[in-house]
Amino acid sequence: MSKIITIILVTVLVVYLFRRMAQSRGEKGIQPPAEGKRNKVEDMVRCHVCSVNLPRSEAILSRGRIYCCDEHRKSDV
């Protein structure tokens, strides 16, 4: 009976030390994303000049056309 208790105590000690070592290295395992960092689905749009696809929030809209950068907006005048 004492051997079983010893094995259980040693196992618990090893697990405790392993977790503590992992925390000190910054490895906290898999955690759910924070409230503000959840993946959000966003519409993709195509640049009028180079046809590259990019998220709508990063696109430039000018005169009803969509551009990926200011340089392409200016070159399509």
Side-chain angles (χ1 to χ4, degrees), residues 33-42:
E35 186 66 32
K37 294 185 179 182
R38 289 209 169 117
N39 293 339
K40 296 180 182 177
V41 177
E42 190 173 348

Side-chain angles (χ1 to χ4, degrees), residues 12-56:
V12 169
L13 180 65
V14 168
V15 169
Y16 171 76
L17 291 175
F18 180 75
R19 286 186 179 177
R20 187 166 179 184
M21 212 169 37
Q23 278 184 339
S24 68
R25 290 184 184 169
E27 302 169 5
K28 297 180 181 178
I30 298 173
Q31 295 179 351
E35 186 66 32
K37 294 185 179 182
R38 289 209 169 117
N39 293 339
K40 296 180 182 177
V41 177
E42 190 173 348
D43 291 336
M44 299 294 283
V45 293
R46 185 178 300 233
C47 177
H48 183 71
V49 175
C50 66
S51 299
V52 72
N53 292 317
L54 66 154
R56 185 175 295 277

